[in-house]
Amino acid sequence: MTENVVHLHKATDAPTGDTAPTVLTVVPDAPSAARVPLWVRSGRALKSAATHESTTTAARAVARHSLYTFNGGRIMARRTWDGRTGARYERMLRAAEAAGNYEVAEEWEERLQRFREARHRRRMDLLHSPVEVARGAAVGTGMGIGFLVALGVVMALNTKEVGDVITPLKAIIDFIATLIRIVQVIWPYAVVIGPLLALLGMWSVGSKQQAAPHWALPANVRNGEGEPITPSIVVKALRDLGVPALRNAIKEMGDAGASMLGPITIAGCGVEVDVTLPSGVATNEVQSKRRKLAENLTRHEHEVFITIPQAARTVRLWVADSGALDEPIGPSPLVTDDTMTADYAKGRAPWGQDLRGDAAALSLYQRHLLITGLSNQGKTVALRSLALWLSLDKSVQFLMGDLKGVGDWAMFDGVATTLIQGPTDEHVIQVTEMVEGAVDEMNRRIQAPPGTVFPPLIVLVDEAQVAFMCPAKDDAKRPYGGSKANSRYFMAVRKIHNQGRAVNVLMWQGTQDPTNENLPKLVREGAHTRASLALGTESQARMALGDKAVDGGAAPNLLRPGLDRGTLVVASDGITIPAGQSSITVRTHYIDDDAAEVITDRAKAMRDGVTTLHAIERGAERDPLADIASVVGEASRVRTQDVLKRLAVLNEDVYGGWSFLDLKRVLEGTGAEPYKSDGVMVISRDRLARALANRDGEGSASADG
């Protein structure tokens, strides 16, 4: 409490000098801070000094090195005890029993029994050893003295001096006396240095084992910077996972859980280890605690992957080096090797790298494909890279629908037979009719004679969720979107899924943010290859990859949106997956638009002039001669079979049932009739141009007349 001091003084009138009445003035005392008791100020200063960074660092260092020495002594004592007793065998025996491996337990029990028998023989030998030692010492001493005396006699005979007989004995006595004097000199120092050396040895053992509490360890160790994955770290991480049965089993194991671990092997930019869980612990109990396990291993959640191998009661841990997954992978071989070609039937598309750093290549032969993920995670680039590789096989035909319409697929103009780009309902209608045209082509192939080989036809729709969610209906009130029995896009996709693979008509779809509405169950389960980028929930992961893959450890919902852009979890028999796993994580190569343009230019050079249609024309009267000229395009000549296929794609209703006879009938008398070249029937572009010119000229002359 602040105290006030009362001052009495007389006020004086300055001009007159008259004395005024006495004035009472209350003056506040000095500030309260100056009156804080000394013990309080000392306590504050002491607290500040005690919590200073230098003080805490020094305290940690003192505690750390003291505990290194103490716990190092415990470790040495335990090692000594293990070496002298059967404790090690008993621990291994209990560990094998806890793991349910009774054959190994019996083997350790036999070893323990043999150790005890050998120890019993040694102890029995010690009972008889004093007598044997005394007898040996007496015999040895007598023989030694006799030898020295004999040596002295020889010396005396040689020197003619009787005193030389005891010279060897005197030398031995002098040597013993010298040793005693040396011990007397060294002993005071040994008494001091010996314990210090023992403490140093204990400290060395403790420091190597980091035998101190976590708070006392150096800052870089506490933060886990660069901490390697060792068996002890893995066992500690599992023990502290919060699974009571697992923690208790590790405590009961004599080897502290080491028997659970297989070899820790280097696997790409991380390490891999198989963990055999003790009886009573389920694999999903470990899988569900991925984040806690990663933090126990001083890693981020995305740096630890848990999968279920083929062995029972086993989880496979892959732990990345800190920060390794944030480093980009190299460029695609499609970009670096301008001589690369594709083989649809036997080749594999270079897609990226798995977590081990090995090349991840995908077979596309007779496999429907589905890629999904959240928006802006690299779905289009991942899907496009597969199409870019396959475009280098000139036998492959493409029908493409891009329902985003921002030009991601524009480079396929001149490669794809049809390329529709745009997000509106009209574009969905066009894409639906394109897919239905592929269904008609599939049916035509199915009706062909057995053994007929058909070129692969890839029907690719990016942003397919737009088609499924389209509200438009046709004149017969059938919806283009939806997943009902009369939904046109849905039913066309289902038909291709059901029968297209056998005749090389394949459906590739890319969707985002899957739900049951924008990616129906029957459609997603019809894909042979299912891949997913980052997703929001486990239920979405199950939609994207299926229950089996997710139950086996696939977790695209644990990928980091934005940071893991381009990283896919793939479930397919077309890619090499480690034995016992149901999926594999692939970091895909990024191919930008400019590089994609270069690759498609190579694909165009391999093809004989493909005219890409950007719309499906319908409902208008056709001009067969003009349509034939349009599908021939810039090629000098095109096989009649290819012309028929392109006409069917142009308008299935008009040209879908055309045969060679129909084509010949239309061209007969025009001067552009089919002719044989290199053993096959072809149609000439120049002849068609002249026929059209002649027809137009005749039409003009008739009009003038």
Side-chain angles (χ1 to χ4, degrees):
M1 181 177 179
T2 303
E3 297 179 356
N4 295 326
V5 180
V6 180
H7 296 273
L8 296 175
H9 62 86
K10 291 183 178 181
T12 304
D13 190 343
T16 62
D18 295 337
T19 301
T22 302
V23 178
L24 180 65
T25 306
V26 179
V27 180
D29 199 359
S32 60
R35 289 220 173 233
V36 175
L38 179 61
W39 66 270
V40 174
R41 295 199 299 273
S42 301
R44 291 174 179 172
L46 183 61
K47 179 181 179 182
S48 176
T51 57
H52 193 271
E53 183 179 356
S54 299
T55 306
T56 56
T57 302
R60 282 197 188 98
V62 171
R64 178 170 66 252
H65 294 293
S66 300
L67 291 168
Y68 279 170
T69 305
F70 175 74
N71 291 326
R74 292 178 57 194
I75 293 171
M76 293 175 66
R78 183 170 182 175
R79 290 176 180 174
T80 303
W81 177 258
D82 287 346
R84 302 294 297 175
T85 67
R88 177 182 289 111
Y89 299 95
E90 292 175 357
R91 284 202 306 272
M92 299 304 292
L93 174 60
R94 289 196 300 271
E97 289 177 343
N101 198 339
Y102 297 106
E103 293 182 0
V104 176
E106 291 178 0
E107 181 180 347
W108 281 110
E109 187 175 14
E110 292 177 3
R111 292 184 181 182
L112 175 60
Q113 187 62 33
R114 290 197 297 269
F115 171 80
R116 287 173 174 170
E117 291 175 356
R119 183 178 61 184
H120 177 72
R121 288 195 299 270
R122 289 194 301 272
R123 288 176 176 175
M124 295 303 296
D125 292 339
L126 286 175
L127 295 176
H128 305 284
S129 60
V131 176
E132 299 295 332
V133 169
R135 184 182 298 115
V139 173
T141 302
M143 291 179 63
I145 293 174
F147 174 76
L148 293 174
V149 171
L151 181 61
V153 171
V154 172
M155 291 176 62
L157 292 175
N158 185 49
T159 60
K160 309 300 184 181
E161 293 289 339
V162 177
D164 287 342
V165 173
I166 63 172
T167 297
L169 289 173
K170 290 176 61 179
I172 294 298
I173 294 171
D174 292 340
F175 175 72
I176 295 173
T178 302
L179 291 178
I180 293 173
R181 285 194 295 272
I182 292 173
V183 171
Q184 288 175 341
V185 173
I186 293 176
W187 181 254
Y189 301 99
V191 170
V192 177
I193 295 175
L196 292 178
L197 292 176
L199 291 173
L200 180 62
M202 293 158 60
W203 175 88
S204 177
V205 172
S207 64
K208 288 181 180 178
Q209 298 289 328
Q210 293 185 350
H214 189 266
W215 59 265
L217 296 176
N220 64 325
V221 177
R222 292 199 309 275
N223 297 332
E225 298 175 359
E227 186 175 6
I229 299 300
T230 62
S232 60
I233 288 176
V234 175
V235 171
K236 284 174 60 180
L238 293 169
R239 184 194 65 195
D240 300 336
L241 204 54
V243 180
L246 180 59
R247 181 180 62 249
N248 295 334
I250 292 175
K251 287 182 178 179
E252 292 175 1
M253 292 181 184
D255 61 349
S259 60
M260 296 193 306
L261 306 184
I264 297 179
T265 58
I266 296 176
C269 57
V271 296
E272 188 174 76
V273 58
D274 284 356
V275 181
T276 303
L277 300 176
S279 178
V281 181
T283 54
N284 63 342
E285 292 183 87
V286 177
Q287 277 187 300
S288 63
K289 295 182 177 292
R290 178 186 177 192
R291 173 176 293 181
K292 190 169 186 179
L293 178 61
E295 292 172 351
N296 290 348
L297 294 169
T298 64
R299 295 294 190 273
H300 296 291
E301 184 178 11
H302 72 277
E303 294 176 329
V304 174
F305 288 82
I306 306 172
T307 54
I308 309 299
Q310 202 165 4
R313 272 199 355 254
T314 302
V315 293
R316 179 168 294 160
L317 307 181
W318 185 87
V319 185
D321 299 334
S322 293
L325 294 184
D326 297 326
E327 298 293 330
I329 65 173
S332 170
L334 289 171
V335 177
T336 58
D337 184 2
D338 56 6
T339 63
M340 176 176 283
T341 59
D343 186 338
Y344 162 75
K346 299 179 181 178
R348 288 176 177 260
W351 212 7
Q353 294 180 358
D354 62 16
L355 296 178
R356 293 171 170 265
D358 299 330
L362 180 67
S363 172
L364 303 173
Y365 178 66
Q366 294 188 343
R367 290 179 175 87
H368 301 302
L369 176 67
L370 172 65
I371 299 180
T372 188
L374 298 178
S375 177
N376 196 31
Q377 298 304 310
K379 166 182 54 63
T380 296
V381 173
L383 181 60
R384 189 176 68 183
S385 66
L386 298 176
L388 287 171
W389 176 79
L390 201 54
S391 70
L392 298 177
D393 183 342
K394 64 181 181 180
S395 68
V396 178
Q397 302 171 6
F398 291 96
L399 302 178
M400 292 185 169
D402 175 15
L403 293 177
K404 184 189 296 181
V406 296
D408 289 335
W409 298 87
M411 67 285 300
F412 281 88
D413 193 347
V415 176
T417 307
T418 302
L419 176 59
I420 299 169
Q421 302 178 88
T424 66
D425 289 350
E426 178 60 29
H427 291 104
V428 172
I429 294 172
Q430 294 277 341
V431 168
T432 301
E433 293 180 350
M434 178 190 77
V435 178
E436 289 175 339
V439 173
D440 293 336
E441 169 64 14
M442 176 189 73
N443 292 332
R444 185 188 68 81
R445 294 182 176 191
I446 291 173
Q447 295 170 6
T452 305
V453 178
F454 300 100
L457 175 62
I458 306 300
V459 186
L460 189 153
V461 179
D462 194 14
E463 305 297 341
Q465 77 280 355
V466 177
F468 287 113
M469 300 300 291
C470 179
K473 296 183 179 181
D474 61 11
D475 295 337
K477 302 301 181 182
R478 292 183 302 166
Y480 287 94
S483 58
K484 297 181 179 179
N486 63 342
S487 299
R488 292 181 60 177
Y489 180 79
F490 169 75
M491 291 305 298
V493 172
R494 286 291 301 136
K495 289 174 182 177
I496 294 177
H497 278 175
N498 289 339
Q499 295 179 299
R501 184 190 65 82
V503 290
N504 285 333
V505 178
L506 302 178
M507 192 75 208
W508 291 10
Q509 295 183 98
T511 70
Q512 64 175 252
D513 203 9
T515 64
N516 284 322
E517 289 73 28
N518 65 25
L519 187 60
K521 185 175 188 293
L522 292 177
V523 170
R524 61 183 185 249
E525 291 187 351
H528 302 100
T529 295
R530 300 167 72 173
S532 176
L533 296 115
L535 289 173
T537 64
E538 182 180 322
S539 62
Q540 286 185 315
R542 293 183 180 276
M543 292 180 191
L545 300 176
D547 292 336
K548 179 180 179 182
V550 174
D551 291 338
N557 53 301
L558 296 181
L559 295 173
R560 302 166 298 167
L563 297 177
D564 290 326
R565 185 179 287 112
T567 300
L568 287 161
V569 181
V570 185
S572 171
D573 61 350
I575 193 169
T576 302
I577 297 178
Q581 295 182 202
S582 57
S583 65
I584 187 171
T585 302
V586 177
R587 304 171 68 197
T588 58
H589 296 296
Y590 176 73
I591 303 177
D592 59 25
D593 292 348
D594 294 337
E597 287 276 5
V598 174
I599 297 169
T600 52
D601 287 343
R602 289 162 46 199
K604 294 171 188 176
M606 298 170 64
R607 285 166 164 78
D608 190 12
V610 175
T611 301
T612 300
L613 303 179
H614 297 282
I616 304 297
E617 299 183 13
R618 55 190 189 279
E621 186 176 347
R622 309 300 309 183
D623 181 351
L625 188 60
D627 285 344
I628 293 171
S630 69
V631 299
V632 168
E634 299 299 323
S636 60
R637 59 182 179 271
V638 178
R639 294 188 303 174
T640 54
Q641 290 295 328
D642 292 338
V643 172
L644 289 171
K645 293 175 185 177
R646 295 177 186 181
L647 286 172
V649 172
L650 179 64
N651 193 304
E652 176 66 25
D653 295 335
V654 176
Y655 301 118
W658 271 34
S659 65
F660 175 74
L661 295 177
D662 297 307
L663 188 63
K664 183 179 179 181
R665 173 179 51 80
V666 171
L667 295 176
E668 190 172 5
T670 63
E673 295 87 349
Y675 64 96
K676 185 170 290 188
S677 175
D678 296 331
V680 295
M681 298 300 292
V682 298
I683 296 175
S684 170
R685 177 195 61 190
D686 295 338
R687 294 182 182 183
L688 281 170
R690 285 195 297 268
L692 284 170
N694 292 336
R695 187 188 67 174
D696 295 340
E698 292 174 359
S700 299
S702 299
D704 293 339

